[in-house]
Amino acid sequence: TSASAPSFAGMVALLNEARFKAGKPPMGFLNPFLYSSPDMFFDIVKGDNAMSRSFIGPYKTPVGYAAAPGWDASTGLGSPRFDQMLAEAMKVAPAAS
């Protein structure tokens, strides 16, 4: 998250800049927008973030989450596809504040 959060914030800034240049208001609250179109993300469906707990004791069971279709605790919504996000952002009205 220390790398992805600033990267995603930069993408949102670019979405808002494009909207501003088109005379549209900023995006505002993003959750409805993010969940509105799954095509805006490359869905990660294989893998996990499991790791062994052996570094904190005798535990050998991996702890973590598996990737799955749609939202999951390991990969969230997936990897952003900026081109799709931009196209969708230019179509939608801003969230009510």
Side-chain angles (χ1 to χ4, degrees):
T1 58
S2 61
S4 63
S7 298
F8 192 77
M11 288 184 214
V12 173
L14 292 172
L15 297 177
N16 279 326
E17 179 183 33
R19 287 178 60 84
F20 177 77
K21 287 181 178 180
K24 297 174 182 264
M27 296 293 294
F29 182 62
L30 291 176
N31 279 6
F33 170 71
L34 296 176
Y35 286 92
S36 69
S37 178
D39 293 338
M40 293 189 298
F41 297 91
F42 178 76
D43 192 14
I44 310 298
V45 296
K46 292 183 181 179
D48 58 50
N49 65 355
M51 57 182 260
S52 169
R53 297 187 290 179
S54 62
F55 66 92
I56 59 171
Y59 308 107
K60 300 296 180 197
T61 304
V63 176
Y65 301 97
W71 184 92
D72 59 73
S74 180
T75 65
L77 292 170
S79 299
R81 297 174 57 186
F82 184 76
D83 58 333
Q84 296 283 40
M85 291 179 78
L86 180 59
E88 291 297 320
M90 297 308 287
K91 288 190 233 176
V92 300
S97 39

